[in-house]
Amino acid sequence: MQAKTHATIPSDILLRKGARKAGDIPEHIRNLLQSGQLESVNLTEWLAVDHILLFQQVTHDWEMIEDTPEIIQQLQQLNEQRIMKIIPAIALAWLALMEHQNAEYRTQHFYSIAKHRSDSVRCWAAYMIGLDSQLSLNEKLDRMRPFAADPHFGVREIAWMAVREPIINELPRALEHLLPWTADPDPRIRRFAIESIRPRGVWAKHIQMLKDNPALALPMLEPLKSDQDKYVQDSVSNWLNDASKSNPDWVRQVCSTWLQMSDTKATRRITTRAQRSL
């Protein structure tokens, strides 16, 4: 499979700050985003991408026009623009396209999606992993690592959302598998380990078992109680804030214990943010 060769993007475009409102996105930026030639730089741009049109563009670039009209029609009939609905739908479409192909084709095809220039396209690849019924939970988590560490914020968010359901279905196994990730040198990996098991989370199904018994996740949280990276600190504090809505006394006790064990700037920041809803 060969992707269409795109022109080099000028540095002033790559270094842009991004519009605050979708209506303020310049037309040339919108066209580059929509054609898969450019990454989004903020949430406004990320949400502005029409994924069905992008899917049409990508399959056209890869000369798959004969394979996709029925799929495009089905996607259009969904009449769905919510990002957390359309991304999984497109991921399922890719899985269906690849289902009857040989292993080499599937590997090359997935690699092309996973390494695409567009962050939106890479989001599809992350969900392809999460929705692949042929993969075990451990395989899904391991294959998700590159997406958990992706430079783009949108891909990193989709990465944990894509495995949320499998994690819920096998929570004890997930906690065991993810525990070593809390010691990973990459803060994005450490953050993914915590974010993927938040009791409530954002745009995600709640994990009732952790809402009822947050102590199950304490072995994962404790190694990060004084993590020096604010990206990880925010995730840990948000996890505890989630838990405080169901188990406020438990969160107070954990924060008190952590401050006694580790009275550092990082721990103080985590525990302060953790108790902000109390």
Side-chain angles (χ1 to χ4, degrees):
M1 176 187 304
Q2 284 195 335
K4 180 180 176 182
T5 301
H6 297 298
T8 302
I9 305 297
S11 59
D12 61 317
I13 292 180
L14 294 175
L15 298 175
R16 73 195 183 284
K17 291 184 178 180
R20 293 187 176 183
K21 298 179 181 179
D24 294 336
I25 299 175
E27 192 64 24
H28 69 289
I29 297 296
R30 188 181 295 273
N31 290 339
L32 288 169
L33 290 168
Q34 202 57 66
S35 63
Q37 298 182 60
L38 187 66
E39 289 193 340
S40 60
V41 295
N42 62 12
L43 187 61
T44 299
E45 289 187 357
W46 191 67
L47 292 172
V49 174
D50 184 322
H51 282 256
I52 298 177
L53 291 179
L54 180 59
F55 178 81
Q56 288 179 283
Q57 181 64 55
V58 171
T59 53
H60 179 272
D61 288 348
W62 291 347
E63 299 179 353
M64 299 175 66
I65 301 173
E66 295 181 0
D67 301 329
T68 56
E70 184 177 346
I71 289 176
I72 291 171
Q73 185 178 24
Q74 291 171 352
L75 290 171
Q76 291 171 337
Q77 287 174 347
L78 288 175
N79 194 28
E80 182 62 75
Q81 288 298 323
R82 288 176 296 177
I83 200 150
M84 290 312 303
K85 295 293 185 179
I86 196 61
I87 290 178
I90 290 178
L92 285 172
W94 280 118
L95 288 172
L97 277 171
M98 295 162 57
E99 184 178 4
H100 301 295
Q101 303 296 334
N102 61 50
E104 182 181 359
Y105 176 91
R106 292 197 302 270
T107 299
Q108 292 178 351
H109 196 118
F110 178 79
Y111 183 85
S112 297
I113 301 171
K115 297 296 183 181
H116 200 278
R117 187 175 197 171
S118 166
D119 57 280
S120 295
V121 175
R122 299 200 301 278
C123 286
W124 303 342
Y127 248 102
M128 288 171 69
I129 294 171
L131 294 172
D132 191 339
S133 60
Q134 303 300 312
L135 299 177
S136 68
L137 172 64
N138 288 355
E139 288 172 330
K140 289 180 180 184
L141 291 173
D142 287 340
R143 295 189 187 193
M144 197 63 75
R145 284 182 69 100
F147 301 94
D150 194 279
H152 193 274
F153 69 89
V155 180
R156 296 196 299 271
E157 291 305 302
I158 289 297
W160 70 259
M161 293 181 193
V163 288
R164 182 78 165 180
E165 192 74 30
I167 285 174
I168 292 173
N169 293 339
E170 299 183 65
L171 183 62
R173 184 185 298 274
L175 294 174
E176 179 183 2
H177 192 83
L178 289 170
L179 180 58
W181 295 32
T182 61
D184 195 277
D186 188 342
R188 294 169 180 170
I189 296 295
R190 301 198 301 274
R191 188 258 187 180
F192 173 91
I194 301 304
E195 204 70 19
S196 64
I197 59 162
R198 278 180 58 179
R200 296 173 184 268
V202 181
W203 292 353
K205 185 177 180 180
H206 291 185
I207 303 181
Q208 191 62 46
M209 191 179 298
L210 291 177
K211 288 169 65 176
D212 296 338
N213 187 9
L216 292 171
L218 195 55
M220 290 186 59
L221 297 167
E222 282 197 320
L224 303 175
K225 64 181 177 293
S226 58
D227 196 286
Q228 294 303 300
D229 194 286
K230 287 189 175 181
Y231 194 49
V232 181
Q233 293 173 17
D234 287 348
S235 188
V236 174
S237 61
N238 288 339
W239 199 106
L240 290 170
N241 184 60
D242 280 0
S244 73
K245 296 168 185 175
S246 304
N247 290 270
D249 291 340
W250 180 84
V251 171
R252 289 190 183 97
Q253 181 59 52
V254 167
C255 290
S256 176
T257 301
W258 284 7
L259 287 170
Q260 293 175 22
M261 296 170 59
S262 171
D263 187 16
T264 65
K265 181 179 179 181
T267 305
R268 290 194 295 272
R269 182 174 185 272
I270 289 172
T271 54
T272 298
R273 295 188 77 256
Q275 299 177 86
R276 64 186 182 272
S277 297
L278 296 177

